[in-house]
Structure formats: C-alpha cells, structure tokens
Amino acid sequence: NPQTQANLGRIAEIYTAQGRQSEAEPLFRQILSSRETETASSLNALAALCASRNRDAEADSLYKLSISILDKRNLFTAKRAPSSNVEPPSPLLFETVNDYIVLLKRLRRKKEATQLEARVRLMNQHGRKK
C-alpha cells in the first residue's frame, strides 16, 4: 500500500533524526525492496508488450534490466554456480527469467537460452533441497 510505504518512510526518517539508525535501516530496506518489486513487475509487463509487438530489442533490454534489479545475489548472472546454501530467488525473478528465455528462443539465441535454462534447473534443485 502506498500510504503504508509513506508512513514507513516517515518513521524511518524520524528514527534517523533521533540517531536510531539501526531501527531505521530495516524500514528503508523494506521500502526499497517493495519499490524494486513494483518496478520489476512494470518492466516485465512492458517487456511482454514490446515482445508481442515484435519490438524485440526493447523487450530484450527491459527483461535484462528487470533481472538485474531482482537478481541481487547474481544467481542468474554470475559466471559460477551458486553455493548449495544459497536461498532460492523470488518467484518474480524465476518468472522474469523464464519469460526472457522464451524471447531468447524466439530470437534464435539458443546458447543464451540454454545457459539460463540450466541456471533455472540448478536454482530449482537448490530450492527443493532446503
């Protein structure tokens, strides 16, 4: 809720002004996380729209931007596989990566699509082990 987010921001600012940074920080992080999720969702919707209108270069860049926002721990973009104790990514990140894979296949960028599919399988396996 936008009003809740605004109130959290005010509380965090009050805590900061009072020197209570350790209490303010989690609130600021919660607000940021919420905004990142909203932004990524909007990027995904716009990317899907662009893809449906054959504006593939734009869709490609929007999906990449969304993934970069959501993939804070570089689970999909890192060169190496994640360690076995890493938490699985958010469902929105999985959804974004899967939508991007569909676009990559349509663009005949099979190598990139295959690499992302392998990473999705790996992340799904990690998620089941926990």
Side-chain angles (χ1 to χ4, degrees):
N1 181 314
Q3 188 61 43
T4 302
Q5 295 299 313
N7 289 337
L8 284 175
R10 286 186 203 101
I11 292 168
E13 289 170 4
I14 290 168
Y15 284 166
T16 300
Q18 293 175 340
R20 298 164 60 186
Q21 285 79 9
S22 63
E23 293 172 78
E25 183 178 354
L27 297 178
F28 282 127
R29 290 188 184 279
Q30 181 180 349
I31 294 165
L32 180 59
S33 178
S34 174
R35 289 181 182 161
E36 287 174 339
T37 300
E38 290 173 22
T39 299
S41 292
S42 295
L43 287 168
N44 293 348
L46 183 57
L49 176 81
C50 290
S52 73
R53 300 184 74 204
N54 295 318
R55 292 174 22 208
D56 297 330
E58 192 174 356
D60 181 77
S61 66
L62 291 167
Y63 279 130
K64 285 179 180 177
L65 180 56
S66 181
I67 290 168
S68 71
I69 290 169
L70 295 169
D71 194 15
K72 293 178 181 73
R73 293 170 284 157
N74 295 321
L75 300 176
F76 286 98
T77 55
K79 301 282 186 215
R80 294 180 298 139
S83 66
S84 60
N85 62 351
V86 71
E87 284 192 39
S90 72
L92 181 58
L93 179 54
F94 271 120
E95 178 184 326
T96 303
V97 170
N98 285 321
D99 290 346
Y100 186 46
I101 289 169
V102 170
L103 177 68
L104 290 172
K105 287 179 177 180
R106 196 177 91 214
L107 296 175
R108 295 185 171 93
R109 290 166 49 189
K110 184 176 170 122
K111 182 179 179 184
E112 292 172 75
T114 302
Q115 289 172 338
L116 279 177
E117 286 174 325
R119 192 56 69 111
V120 167
R121 280 192 303 277
L122 182 65
M123 295 310 305
N124 279 327
Q125 289 171 352
H126 284 304
R128 283 192 295 268
K129 288 178 184 177
K130 291 197 161 258

